[in-house]
């Protein structure tokens, strides 16, 4: 099975996108953290000022998954800015369903995203990986990715909504 | 000390560029700054900006030793969490050394939080260098937590030749 296509996500894909987001989160043992809804994905991705962009991988109907899905992989990304080097492409999520791995879908998605990054004159592509996810780390390092947390000491911090409210009212 | 916090405009790019260099010098990597004042003007103030800016300004009579009244800034942009939706990322936060300890940093960060919340964001993210103890202490006091430490997430980057090869499908 080598037949698949990559295409820009459309509004009709939000149900599959959310399904795949949850599958990836489950793999990261974070499934209960996904509070995003299809309605939000629709508003935030397909309005006048999208907060994200998405590519999906689709197989023909005769190759559908055991549960009957034809959208079998996706990548969610957006553009960020580094005041030293300019535009960057940030890869938020990247996932291929287990039964469709090993056919080059992941590689093709990453290739498409890199082409997008180069075409839009981004200086690089950034993303985060969990340090226990050794197979993904190997996948990325084979493609020349550098671990900034390890090499430069960058640590990712977060302030949640509750503390944001406190801070904004001070 | 009196200061105002306001949205950055095209005219602020000269001072933003100056302070970006000052911050890079503080992080000991000023040779890595390739972005010019003109790049900032194009990338931040065109129809589809890649970032937004906030400026902290003091009155003339409080200007810095070199005569600057724009004494702090923050650069931020909107991102997206596939778990929680809209988020805001604070890329830079900087106050000139002679103006620290007066609540300017906190006020800049507070403004970014307000704007983020108004835009429907549920989280504010940023990165800090592990040796930057004074900044780490400041952020922890604001109620934030270290995602890298607690969840083991590492920031990765693919750039230059690696990015070009990836785009060509080379392995």
């Amino acid at each position: 099975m080598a037949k698949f296509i990559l295409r820009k996500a459309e509004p009709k894909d939000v149900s599959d996108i959310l399904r795949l987001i949850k599958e990836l989160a489950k793999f990261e043992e974070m499934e209960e953290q996904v509070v995003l809804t299809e309605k939000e994905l629709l508003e935030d991705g397909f309005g006048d000022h999208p907060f994200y962009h998405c590519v999906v991988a689709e197989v023909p109907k005769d190759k559908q998954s055991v549960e009957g899905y034809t959208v079998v992989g996706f990548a969610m990304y957006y553009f960020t800015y580094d005041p030293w080097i300019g535009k960057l492409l940030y890869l938020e999520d990247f996932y291929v369903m287990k039964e469709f791995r090993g056919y080059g879908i992941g590689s093709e998605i990453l290739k498409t995203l890199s082409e997008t990054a180069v075409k839009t004159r981004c200086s690089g592509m950034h993303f985060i990986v969990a340090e226990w996810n050794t197979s993904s780390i190997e996948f990325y390092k084979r493609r020349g990715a550098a671990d900034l947390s390890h090499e430069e000491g960058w640590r990712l911090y977060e302030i949640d909504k509750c503390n944001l409210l406190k801070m904004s009212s001070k | 000390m009196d200061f105002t916090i306001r949205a950055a405009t095209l005219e602020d790019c000269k001072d933003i560029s100056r302070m970006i260099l000052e911050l890079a010098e503080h992080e000991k990597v000023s040779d890595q700054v390739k972005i010019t004042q003109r790049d900032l003007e194009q990338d931040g103030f065109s129809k589809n900006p890649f970032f937004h800016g906030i400026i902290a300004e003091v009155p003339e009579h409080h200007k810095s030793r070199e005569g600057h009244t724009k004494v702090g800034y923050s650069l931020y942009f909107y991102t997206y969490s596939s778990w929680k939706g809209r988020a805001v990322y604070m890329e830079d936060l900087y106050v000139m050394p002679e103006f620290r300890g007066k609540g300017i940093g906190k006020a800049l960060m507070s403004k970014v939080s307000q704007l983020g919340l108004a835009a429907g964001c549920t989280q504010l993210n940023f990165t800090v260098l592990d040796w930057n103890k004074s900044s780490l202490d400041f952020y922890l006091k604001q109620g934030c937590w270290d995602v890298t430490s607690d969840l083991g997430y590492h920031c990765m980057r693919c750039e230059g030749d690696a990015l070009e090869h990836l785009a060509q499908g080379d392995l």
Side-chain angles (χ1 to χ4, degrees), chain B residues 33-52:
Chain B
V33 181
K34 311 278 178 246
I35 286 292
T36 63
Q37 177 185 329
R38 188 159 152 68
D39 292 323
L40 287 174
E41 288 165 1
Q42 269 173 6
D43 296 338
F45 298 91
S46 58
K47 186 162 165 266
N48 288 311
F50 282 85
F51 68 86
H52 307 282

Side-chain angles (χ1 to χ4, degrees), chain A residues 1-2 12 23 34-36 38 42 46 55 77 97 116 118 123 136 144-145 150 162 166:
Chain A
M1 189 230 78
K12 64 176 179 157
E23 270 186 43
V34 180
V35 296
L36 201 54
E38 279 180 29
L42 197 59
F46 300 94
V55 299
Y77 67 96
M97 288 170 70
T116 302
V118 170
S123 302
S136 291
H150 184 73
C162 180
K166 280 194 201 150

Side-chain angles (χ1 to χ4, degrees), chain A residues 21 25 28 30 33-36 40-41 43-44 49 51-52 76 78-87 92-93 110-111 114-115 117-118 122-132 137 140-150 152-161 163-165 167-170, chain B residues 20 24 27 29 32-35 39-40 43 48 50-51 75 77-86 89 91-92 106 109-110 113-114 117 119 121-130 136 139-140 142-149 151-160 162-164 166-169 171:
Chain A
I21 285 173
E28 291 176 6
M30 295 281 174
Q33 299 262 354
V34 180
V35 296
L36 201 54
E40 281 162 339
L41 275 173
E43 263 172 32
D44 298 338
H49 296 285
F51 278 79
Y52 70 87
M76 177 186 269
Y78 40 83
F79 295 98
T80 62
Y81 201 77
D82 180 321
W84 297 356
I85 55 176
K87 278 179 288 193
E92 170 66 24
D93 266 14
L110 218 48
K111 177 169 182 272
S114 324
E115 282 167 358
V118 170
C122 291
S123 302
M125 188 157 70
H126 280 205
F127 48 98
I128 55 176
V129 196
E131 62 196 3
W132 52 257
I137 292 176
Y140 294 127
K141 284 202 161 154
R142 270 203 302 273
R143 287 154 177 81
D147 182 338
L148 300 182
S149 294
H150 184 73
E152 296 178 16
W154 289 105
R155 312 198 67 74
L156 178 63
Y157 274 66
E158 185 203 274
I159 302 190
D160 62 24
K161 188 162 184 181
N163 285 294
L164 277 182
L165 281 160
M167 242 192 338
S168 67
S169 61
K170 279 198 196 143
Chain B
I20 284 171
E27 288 172 1
V29 279
Q32 294 195 27
V33 181
K34 311 278 178 246
I35 286 292
D39 292 323
L40 287 174
D43 296 338
N48 288 311
F50 282 85
F51 68 86
L75 284 196
F77 41 79
Y78 295 102
T79 61
Y80 206 71
S81 158
S82 56
W83 296 353
K84 305 203 158 101
R86 297 181 194 184
Y89 188 88
E91 172 66 33
D92 271 8
K106 212 156 145 188
M109 207 162 164
S110 176
S113 318
Q114 280 168 30
L117 284 166
C121 299
T122 54
Q123 51 181 241
L124 168 68
N125 291 311
F126 52 97
T127 55
V128 195
L129 284 164
D130 54 14
L136 288 169
Y139 293 129
L140 289 170
Q142 310 311 313
C144 55
W145 56 283
D146 184 340
V147 178
T148 301
S149 184
L151 295 180
Y153 281 117
H154 284 222
C155 301
M156 309 284 288
R157 176 201 292 159
C158 215
E159 63 180 351
L163 187 61
E164 296 280 348
L166 201 48
Q168 273 155 54
L171 251 190

